[in-house]
Amino acid sequence: MVDDGRRVGRVGFVGRWNRANRANRGNHGAVFDAAGESGPLVELDHIGFSYHDPYGAGADSQEADTVLRDFSMTIRRGECVALLGPNGVGKTTIMRIINALEFPDAGTYRFCGTAVTRVRVEERNSLFAKALHQRIGFVFQNSDTQLFCPSVAEEIAFGPMQMGLDEAEVRRRVDDMIALFGLERLRDRAPYRLSGGEKKRVAIACCLSMNPDLLVLDEPTDGLDERNTDVVVRVLRSFVEAGKTVLLSTHHHDIVERLEARVVRVVPQE
């Protein structure tokens, strides 16, 4: 059961997780610029991005819907940053670029001082892509798109197992997440049998189980009741207090205030 906050929202285990993550990263080589580890976590410099219609008019060109033009943003370690703006201005696109699910048409994206490019991410057996996706967690707006395992516990265990962590560490992380999000009674339940709020909590737990440096969330409280919203806010606040970084999009200004987030406004393209 979720209590009044004395348990839910505490992430005192982050120090232990950091040590395990650092040891595990050593197995994959140093793929990020060491000097960048002391600088900004994310740097987007003069980003341009358009969605192209392959069936657009013109024999040699595609029709393009420009969503970002000359967009820049810097996120420092330990920050909570909220992207605000109307629907369709590119908030989700920014998040997808940061997670290397899209690549800009113009400008530069650097994570820990290292340029993130399509070539580096999409090369065969890319150690860079593996390291990047271990350090950035992405919670989609629709939780159904990222829940696929037979049970909640197996869902949370999937990421740490893919990281190559030993069985004992995976089990500890599952237990930590189950306790943190108050999921004890749902531990063995199939995700498709959960409510929308429960699915959201599990989706965030899955990302946190990998102990990312940056947690990116697209509308994390959209459609949640007060109880589930309180759990999410407590966890995110505690995650930042532990030295981690959060980027979220939201239309809820009260959530921004509760998280004490720095606001970055994304404006429509003319």
Side-chain angles (χ1 to χ4, degrees):
M1 296 294 289
V2 176
D3 64 18
D4 62 2
R6 287 172 293 181
R7 179 187 55 173
V8 173
R10 290 182 177 176
V11 291
F13 45 78
V14 162
R16 172 171 58 80
W17 284 18
N18 284 343
R19 292 188 292 273
N21 274 33
R22 283 194 295 269
N24 189 62
R25 286 172 192 158
N27 298 329
H28 305 305
V31 299
F32 295 100
D33 184 354
E37 296 291 344
S38 60
L41 195 62
V42 171
E43 298 169 274
L44 297 177
D45 293 330
H46 305 289
I47 296 294
F49 184 88
S50 299
Y51 287 101
H52 296 272
D53 179 4
Y55 304 104
D60 300 315
S61 64
Q62 299 175 335
E63 289 186 354
D65 178 18
T66 299
V67 293
L68 296 173
R69 183 182 290 114
D70 199 33
F71 177 82
S72 296
M73 176 178 69
T74 298
I75 302 175
R76 300 193 176 277
R77 300 163 197 276
E79 276 197 301
C80 182
V81 177
L83 295 176
L84 300 186
N87 291 333
V89 296
K91 300 188 300 296
T92 297
T93 300
I94 292 167
M95 294 180 165
R96 289 180 63 84
I97 289 173
I98 289 173
N99 282 272
L101 300 176
E102 304 284 357
F103 299 91
D105 302 319
T108 303
Y109 163 35
R110 288 183 295 275
F111 183 82
C112 286
T114 300
V116 179
T117 64
R118 184 186 297 273
V119 171
R120 301 187 79 170
V121 171
E122 295 185 351
E123 70 179 356
R124 186 176 178 87
N125 299 321
S126 172
L127 291 178
F128 181 85
K130 184 171 185 177
L132 182 72
H133 291 136
Q134 285 183 9
R135 298 185 70 171
I136 305 176
F138 190 15
V139 181
F140 293 85
Q141 184 173 4
N142 180 4
S143 301
D144 287 323
T145 63
Q146 59 190 123
L147 300 179
F148 50 82
C149 291
S151 71
V152 167
E154 290 170 280
E155 200 77 66
I156 297 171
F158 181 82
M161 290 174 63
Q162 294 301 304
M163 291 172 63
L165 297 175
D166 63 62
E167 184 176 341
E169 179 63 19
V170 171
R171 186 166 54 252
R172 281 193 292 267
R173 292 196 181 198
V174 171
D175 291 343
D176 286 341
M177 288 294 95
I178 292 291
L180 180 66
F181 284 91
L183 297 170
E184 289 87 349
R185 66 184 180 85
L186 306 176
R187 186 184 188 107
D188 298 318
R189 187 171 300 182
Y192 74 87
R193 296 182 55 206
L194 304 178
S195 69
E198 290 167 344
K199 288 179 181 178
K200 183 70 72 173
R201 283 156 56 196
V202 172
I204 298 174
C206 291
C207 287
L208 286 185
S209 70
M210 298 177 70
N211 192 28
D213 295 319
L214 171 64
L215 183 63
V216 180
L217 308 100
D218 194 355
E219 297 284 353
T221 61
D222 192 40
L224 299 191
D225 60 20
E226 183 177 357
R227 175 175 173 269
N228 282 299
T229 296
D230 287 345
V231 172
V232 170
V233 169
R234 288 187 193 123
V235 169
L236 295 183
R237 283 181 59 92
S238 190
F239 192 60
V240 173
E241 289 168 0
K244 298 294 187 173
T245 308
V246 169
L247 172 67
L248 72 151
S249 67
T250 184
H251 292 287
H252 302 287
H253 292 271
D254 61 315
I255 299 300
V256 176
E257 293 177 0
R258 291 175 66 182
L259 291 173
E260 299 180 341
R262 174 169 66 89
V263 171
V264 173
R265 298 191 181 277
V266 186
V267 298
Q269 298 301 310
E270 298 180 353

